[in-house]
C-alpha cells in the first residue's frame, strides 16, 4: 500500500474524463479515492469557485483535464475565447493546487500546440521553438503556458506539477456537436445522420490529405494512470500512438465507412480548411518508460466508437 491519494479529476465529464472513469472502475487501488468533476461543480475560470471546489474535496493529487476544447473549425473562429478561458482555468487550478498543498498535478497539453514550422518527428523539447499553426494559436499559447507555469512553480516552490501531450483523442462520450467537434466525432455524427436519412453521399470537409495520429481515449486513460502513479518529471511527456500509426483523413474516412458499412459515395469538400497538414509526434520518451504498452488497433477503436454512438446518439453531447 502506497501513500493515500485523493485524486480530483477536472474535466471529468468529458471525452478523456469519462474514459478515465471507465478505466478507474477496474484499475483503482485501495489507497486511491477518485473524484470526477465537470463545469457544473465549479467554473474553473473563477478563482473563488476553484478554491471552494478544492476546499470541498481536499485533493492530494489533481489530474487537470478541464479546458475549452474543440476541433479545427471551432478554434479558427474562437481563438480569443480559447486563449482566455484556458489561461484562466489553468492559472486557477495550478495556483489553488499550490495554495492547498496538492502533492502532484498532471495537466494536459496537445500535439497541435507545437511550432507550425518544425522538423519531424516532433518531440517534447520543441514546444516553445516557434509560433503554432495560425488556426489554433489561442488554444496553443494557453496550453504552452501550462508548461511554463509548471517550471516556475517547481523552481520557486518545488511543486511537482507536470503535463502530458496527447495526440488527437477519440472514443465513446465524445463531443458530437457539429460546430465544435473534432474530426472523428464530427464524421461519426454526420455519417450516422446521412444513413439515418437513407442518403447515398457523404461529404468530408477539406481535401482528406492531412495526416493525424489518433489515440483511443481508453488507451490514453490507462497511460494517465501510469503518469499519475509513476512519472515524476516536471517536463512534459508525449502520449501518442507510434509514428507508423499516422493516417490521412481519407484513410480515417474509409475506416468509418467500413465501421458503418456505408455503401454510398464519399465526397471531399475542398472549399473547407485542412488545418495543419501534419503534427507527427515521437513517443520515444514514452516507449523508453513503457516499451511494451499496447495501443488498441485503430480499426477496433473506430468500430467501438461508432457502435457506442449508434447506441447512444439520442443522449450523446450533440
Ligand atoms: P471535452 O470532452 O470537451 O471535455 C472538457 C471538459 O472540461 C468537460 O468535463 C467540461 O465540463 C470541462 N470544462 C470546460 N470548461 C470548464 C470550466 N470553465 N470549468 C470547469 N470545467 C470545464 O474535452 P476532452 O477532449 O476530454 O479534453 C480533455 C483534455 O485533453 C483537455 O485539456 C484537452 O485540451 C486535452 N486534449 C484533447 C484532445 C482531443 O483530441 N480531444 C487532444 C489533445 C489534448 P462540462 O462537461 O461540464 O462542460
Ligand atoms: O480534429 P480536427 O477538427 O482538428 O481535424 P485538428 C481537422 C481535420 O479533419 C482537417 C478534417 O483536416 C479537416 O479538414 N475534417 C474533415 C473535419 N471533416 C471534418 C469534420 O466534419 N469536422 C472536423 N472538425 N474536421 C485540432 C486543434 O486540430 O486538434 C485543436 O485545432 C485540438 O486545438 C485538436 O488540439 C486535438 O486535428 O486539425
Amino acid at each position: 500500500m502506497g501513500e493515500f491519494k485523493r485524486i480530483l479529476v477536472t474535466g471529468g465529464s468529458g471525452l478523456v474524463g469519462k474514459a478515465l472513469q471507465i478505466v478507474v472502475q477496474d484499475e483503482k487501488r485501495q489507497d486511491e479515492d477518485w473524484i470526477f468533476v465537470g463545469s457544473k461543480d465549479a467554473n474553473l475560470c473563477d478563482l473563488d469557485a476553484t478554491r471552494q471546489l478544492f476546499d470541498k474535496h481536499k485533493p492530494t493529487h489533481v489530474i487537470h483535464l478541464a479546458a475549452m476544447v474543440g476541433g479545427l473549425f471551432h478554434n479558427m473562429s474562437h481563438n480569443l475565447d480559447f486563449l482566455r478561458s484556458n489561461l484562466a482555468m489553468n492559472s486557477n487550478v495550478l495556483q489553488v493546487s499550490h495554495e492547498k498543498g496538492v502533492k502532484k498535478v498532471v495537466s494536459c497539453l496537445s500535439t497541435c500546440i507545437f511550432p507550425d514550422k518544425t522538423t519531424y518527428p516532433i518531440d517534447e523539447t520543441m514546444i516553445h521553438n516557434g509560433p503554432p499553426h495560425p488556426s489554433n494559436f489561442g488554444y496553443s499559447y494557453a496550453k504552452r503556458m501550462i508548461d511554463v507555469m509548471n517550471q516556475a512553480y517547481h523552481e520557486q516552490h518545488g511543486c511537482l506539477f507536470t503535463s502530458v501531450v496527447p495526440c488527437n483523442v477519440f472514443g465513446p462520450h465524445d463531443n458530437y456537436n457539429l460546430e465544435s467537434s473534432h474530426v472523428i466525432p464530427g464524421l461519426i455524427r454526420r455519417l450516422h445522420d446521412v444513413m439515418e436519412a437513407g442518403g447515398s453521399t457523404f461529404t468530408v470537409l477539406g481535401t482528406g490529405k492531412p495526416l493525424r495520429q489518433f489515440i483511443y481515449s481508453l488507451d490514453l486513460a490507462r497511460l494517465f494512470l501510469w503518469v499519475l502513479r509513476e512519472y515524476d518529471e516536471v517536463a512534459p511527456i508525449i502520449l501518442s500512438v507510434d509514428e507508423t500509426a499516422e493516417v490521412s483523413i481519407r484513410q480515417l474516412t474509409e475506416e468509418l465507412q467500413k465501421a458503418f458499412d456505408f455503401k454510398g459515395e464519399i465526397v471531399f469538400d475542398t472549399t473547407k480548411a485542412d488545418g495543419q497538414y501534419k503534427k507527427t509526434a515521437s513517443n520515444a520518451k514514452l516507449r523508453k518508460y513503457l516499451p511494451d504498452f499496447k495501443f488498441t488497433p485503430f480499426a477496433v477503436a473506430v468500430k467501438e466508437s461508432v457502435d457506442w454512438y449508434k447506441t447512444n446518439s439520442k443522449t450523446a453531447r450533440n
Side-chain angles (χ1 to χ4, degrees):
M1 283 270 272
E3 54 163 355
F4 174 74
K5 295 186 180 72
R6 180 175 296 112
I7 305 127
L8 176 68
V9 181
T10 73
S13 51
L15 164 69
V16 181
K18 285 281 192 185
L20 205 45
Q21 289 193 45
I22 293 165
V23 166
V24 159
Q25 274 163 15
D26 298 336
E27 299 189 26
K28 86 183 278 291
R29 291 176 178 169
Q30 289 222 313
D31 59 357
E32 293 173 352
D33 179 22
W34 289 78
I35 302 138
F36 294 86
V37 294
S39 64
K40 65 182 181 340
D41 301 290
N43 175 3
L44 296 173
C45 291
D46 179 308
L47 182 56
D48 287 340
T50 306
R51 283 196 178 112
Q52 284 165 37
L53 181 75
F54 276 62
D55 286 340
K56 177 179 177 184
H57 295 296
K58 298 183 176 45
T60 61
H61 294 66
V62 172
I63 293 181
H64 173 41
L65 301 176
M68 180 177 178
V69 182
L72 167 67
F73 301 103
H74 197 214
N75 273 271
M76 286 171 68
S77 55
H78 292 81
N79 265 297
L80 176 62
D81 295 343
F82 276 92
L83 178 67
R84 295 189 67 245
S85 303
N86 288 313
L87 280 175
M89 274 186 255
N90 299 335
S91 175
N92 289 341
V93 167
L94 294 182
Q95 177 182 337
V96 176
S97 293
H98 169 53
E99 287 174 358
K100 307 296 178 184
V102 169
K103 294 193 177 87
K104 181 173 182 180
V105 180
V106 181
S107 298
C108 215
L109 311 185
S110 168
T111 53
C112 75
I113 73 171
F114 284 96
D116 180 33
K117 304 269 178 294
T118 181
T119 54
Y120 297 99
I122 293 164
D123 69 40
E124 290 85 353
T125 65
M126 300 156 83
I127 291 182
H128 305 286
N129 288 359
H133 191 269
S135 63
N136 68 346
F137 71 88
Y139 174 85
S140 296
Y141 279 118
K143 287 293 188 180
R144 290 186 186 190
M145 283 305 109
I146 290 178
D147 178 43
V148 173
M149 286 189 282
N150 285 349
Q151 292 175 44
Y153 274 102
H154 182 70
E155 180 186 278
Q156 190 163 325
H157 298 297
C159 300
L160 179 50
F161 293 174
T162 189
S163 63
V164 299
V165 194
C167 54
N168 286 44
V169 190
F170 72 101
H173 302 282
D174 209 329
N175 166 16
Y176 302 88
N177 174 284
L178 290 182
E179 299 304 312
S180 58
S181 66
H182 290 100
V183 58
I184 290 184
L187 290 180
I188 287 177
R189 161 75 187 275
R190 290 200 290 106
L191 184 45
H192 180 263
D193 290 351
V194 164
M195 294 187 74
E196 288 283 287
S200 58
T201 304
F202 178 51
T203 304
V204 178
L205 310 183
T207 66
K209 294 195 176 108
L211 301 170
R212 294 291 183 271
Q213 288 159 295
F214 292 105
I215 187 169
Y216 193 28
S217 57
L218 298 174
D219 293 342
L220 179 60
R222 289 185 192 99
L223 291 172
F224 258 107
L225 276 189
W226 170 79
V227 170
L228 178 82
R229 293 167 176 163
E230 311 293 344
Y231 180 73
D232 286 339
E233 294 183 41
V234 172
I237 182 166
I238 288 173
L239 302 182
S240 172
V241 295
D242 298 337
E243 293 158 59
T244 52
E246 189 174 54
V247 295
S248 71
I249 299 299
R250 175 183 288 276
Q251 286 170 309
L252 161 65
T253 306
E254 286 158 3
E255 211 52 66
L256 288 165
Q257 195 175 7
K258 266 189 262 168
F260 275 102
D261 193 23
F262 175 65
K263 307 284 189 213
E265 186 198 3
I266 307 270
V267 171
F268 287 89
D269 177 357
T270 55
T271 67
K272 296 292 186 299
D274 271 346
Q276 292 168 281
Y277 172 65
K278 59 187 272 186
K279 39 185 168 176
T280 316
S282 160
N283 65 4
K285 182 172 180 180
L286 173 65
R287 284 291 185 207
K288 231 176 44 228
Y289 279 104
L290 296 177
D292 302 325
F293 183 83
K294 298 264 180 301
F295 293 97
T296 304
F298 185 55
V300 171
V302 167
K303 185 74 171 79
E304 287 181 6
S305 303
V306 166
D307 290 347
W308 183 89
Y309 185 75
K310 281 178 172 175
T311 310
N312 299 280
S313 59
K314 298 272 182 296
T315 53
R317 287 186 290 160
N318 272 320

